[in-house]
């Protein structure tokens, strides 16, 4: 059973607490949930997707796994990724609106992977629940934010949110 509770952190950020409960008699192994924040109806968003590699911004287009898909898996051995190691479990996108910047982010402390698709603009995240024995449950957090801010602003917000206990 999967359930979600949405809470507004403020007028620009939504916190989603996702709970997965195993009602089966067998262990759920490596349980995860893939969430797509589809920006297709707003085409300028997610045309350019950014990630953090240490102190630098990295263009997520270099992580092509099967075009037009881009993937980054946390915890993979060195050399298996298409680009440098991403250090913040979040994706960011922004675009200019006249003299303002509109930005978006998706982040999760338990992100197992990040993904995007340039043909159907999106920022996706795969949340890891681990293995759940019979009767066990786990709750994981997801954060989505958007507003008139650039990705540097959203990085500060996301990094603070990613420190919250699950």
């Amino acid at each position: 059973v999967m359930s979600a509770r949405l809470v507004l952190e403020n007028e620009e950020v939504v916190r989603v607490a996702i709970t997965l409960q195993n009602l089966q008699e067998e262990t759920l192994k490596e349980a995860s949930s893939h969430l797509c924040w589809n920006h297709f109806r707003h085409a300028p968003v997610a045309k350019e997707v950014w990630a953090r590699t240490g102190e630098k911004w990295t263009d997520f287009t270099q992580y092509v796994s099967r075009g037009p898909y881009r993937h980054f898996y946390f915890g993979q051995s060195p050399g298996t990724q298409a680009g440098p190691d991403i250090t913040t479990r979040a994706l960011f996108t922004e675009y200019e609106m006249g003299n303002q910047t509109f930005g978006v982010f998706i982040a999760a402390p338990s992100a197992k992977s990040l993904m995007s698709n340039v043909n159907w603009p999106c920022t996706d995240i795969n949340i890891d629940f681990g293995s759940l024995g019979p009767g066990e449950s786990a709750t994981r957090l997801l954060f989505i934010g958007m507003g008139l801010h650039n990705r540097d602003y959203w990085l500060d917000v996301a990094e603070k949110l990613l420190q919250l206990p699950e």
Side-chain angles (χ1 to χ4, degrees):
V1 173
M2 185 173 278
S3 61
R5 181 170 184 254
L6 283 69
V7 176
L8 292 175
E9 291 286 318
N10 57 47
E11 65 272 359
E12 297 175 322
V13 177
V14 175
R15 175 201 308 222
V16 183
I18 302 168
T19 301
L20 181 61
Q21 182 180 14
N22 181 5
L23 299 181
Q24 304 300 312
E25 293 180 12
E26 298 177 12
T27 297
L28 289 175
K29 296 179 182 175
E30 299 180 31
S32 64
S33 179
H34 186 99
L35 297 128
C36 174
W37 190 6
N38 187 330
H39 309 290
F40 181 70
R41 300 272 182 223
H42 198 284
V45 178
K47 286 291 187 182
E48 294 181 1
V49 178
W50 301 92
R52 284 301 274 195
T53 55
E55 299 298 314
K56 296 180 182 179
W57 285 108
T58 299
D59 181 354
F60 199 64
T61 60
Q62 68 181 306
Y63 294 88
V64 173
S65 56
R66 287 184 333 270
Y69 299 103
R70 295 146 170 80
H71 286 94
F72 178 84
Y73 298 92
F74 292 97
Q76 295 274 336
S77 61
T80 63
Q81 303 291 350
D85 283 346
I86 293 175
T87 53
T88 301
R89 294 174 188 257
L91 286 177
F92 303 83
T93 181
E94 66 183 8
Y95 77 98
E96 299 301 318
M97 292 181 7
N99 62 351
Q100 294 181 308
T101 301
F102 182 81
V104 171
F105 81 91
I106 188 169
S110 297
K112 185 176 187 174
S113 66
L114 302 171
M115 193 193 103
S116 73
N117 175 350
V118 73
N119 289 345
W120 190 273
C122 62
T123 49
D124 295 10
I125 202 160
N126 189 23
I127 298 174
D128 184 20
F129 287 90
S131 294
L132 298 175
E136 292 182 341
S137 65
T139 300
R140 302 292 184 254
L141 297 179
L142 166 74
F143 299 97
I144 298 172
M146 65 179 157
L148 294 174
H149 307 289
N150 65 21
R151 64 182 183 255
D152 291 317
Y153 172 87
W154 285 122
L155 174 65
D156 290 339
V157 170
E159 285 183 336
K160 288 174 188 165
L161 293 169
L162 289 170
Q163 300 302 312
L164 294 175
E166 294 199 276

